[in-house]
Amino acid sequence: MPETSQLKHIAHIHSDFTEKFGIPRQSGLVEQLRSTVVFEPEYRNPDALRGLEGFSHLWLIWQFSRAVREDWSPTVRPPRLGGNERMGVFATRSPFRPNPIGLSCVRLLGVEQHPTLGPVIHVAGADLMDGTPIYDIKPYLPYADCKPEAVGGFASTPKEATLQVVCPEELLAPLPADRREGLLAVLAQDPRPSYQDDPERVYGFGFAGCNVRFTVSGGVLNVVSVDPV
């Protein structure tokens, strides 16, 4: 058996996130987010998606394209534990892995037959940065993939939205109307690293063609500005 093998990128995802900061920590946490999967030219065959619309959810297998490195560490610092405790890399979903492969469950919204891009998949709840390469797509099977009795270790319960978001309506004007609810839900999840709590600091990230800037103090997130890029 060869020690290495080459995986092909079959598609890329287009999302509202232009950088890692701000992306939900897991898929499905912010269902309001909308993304599209566009196939590479050699995979734009509609027959490859025949029967896909019979499923409600999909698995995306993808590359942590901003975390590719030559070496690896057997332990990492999960944000869920405040970045203060090391756990084995295989007990986490850290992007810093021997093989930078991610796995996300997303809701299928539909398949569009685009005149130039071929079949395009529309999904909800993705936790991927814009342009992330996709290795494979598989249907989610409830009878096999859903395990209600499963134990989640140190991440056994989802992190609830913890922040009250204060954002004057006029600040959202530069955003497309169908992206505003998603942004507010992302902000409520508290996108800051868990070890940062500086009420004077202005944080920011790119979202849907805008730069979003905000501060956090006493459990309240105040949006400072939403400016077109």
Side-chain angles (χ1 to χ4, degrees):
M1 293 284 292
E3 293 186 0
T4 60
S5 59
Q6 184 177 6
L7 293 177
K8 296 181 179 180
H9 298 156
I10 65 165
H12 288 78
I13 198 166
H14 294 286
S15 75
D16 290 321
F17 296 98
T18 58
E19 56 193 279
K20 292 184 292 183
F21 185 79
I23 297 177
R25 293 176 175 88
Q26 300 292 339
S27 59
L29 292 181
V30 182
E31 277 285 327
Q32 298 92 331
L33 295 175
R34 300 292 183 264
S35 306
T36 56
V37 176
V38 177
F39 287 90
E40 294 298 299
E42 63 185 296
Y43 301 105
R44 293 176 183 174
N45 188 329
D47 286 341
L49 278 69
R50 187 184 301 170
L52 190 70
E53 291 185 280
F55 298 90
S56 65
H57 290 74
L58 307 173
W59 290 109
L60 301 181
I61 301 170
W62 48 278
Q63 181 188 47
F64 285 107
S65 53
R66 296 289 182 90
V68 177
R69 53 176 61 180
E70 293 296 324
D71 58 348
W72 72 286
S73 171
T75 61
V76 295
R77 299 178 185 270
R80 188 61 178 274
L81 298 177
N84 299 316
E85 184 176 350
R86 284 194 171 274
M87 301 295 287
V89 64
F90 300 127
T92 75
R93 296 192 176 187
S94 167
F96 304 109
R97 324 182 65 79
N99 292 304
I101 294 175
L103 178 68
S104 295
C105 181
V106 296
R107 182 162 58 91
L108 175 62
L109 298 177
V111 178
E112 171 195 2
Q113 295 300 325
H114 193 277
T116 57
L117 300 177
V120 174
I121 302 176
H122 296 269
V123 300
D127 57 339
L128 282 70
M129 186 170 60
D130 185 54
T132 294
I134 305 294
Y135 285 131
D136 204 357
I137 299 166
K138 298 179 184 291
Y140 177 94
L141 301 178
Y143 72 87
D145 297 337
C146 181
K147 305 293 182 183
E149 74 282 6
V151 177
F154 64 85
S156 58
T157 57
K159 182 180 178 181
E160 301 293 337
T162 56
L163 298 179
Q164 174 189 350
V165 179
V166 176
C167 180
E169 190 70 25
E170 60 270 18
L171 291 185
L172 296 175
L175 276 178
D178 63 348
R179 294 298 193 263
R180 297 171 188 175
E181 186 180 358
L183 172 63
L184 297 178
V186 167
L187 294 173
Q189 290 280 337
D190 193 352
R192 299 173 302 165
S194 55
Y195 53 84
Q196 291 185 2
D197 188 19
D198 181 357
E200 301 299 321
R201 180 167 180 170
V202 178
Y203 300 88
F205 61 90
F207 183 86
C210 291
N211 286 322
V212 181
R213 292 164 57 84
F214 62 92
T215 61
V216 181
S217 178
V220 178
L221 183 149
N222 285 281
V223 178
V224 176
S225 61
V226 180
D227 298 317
V229 175

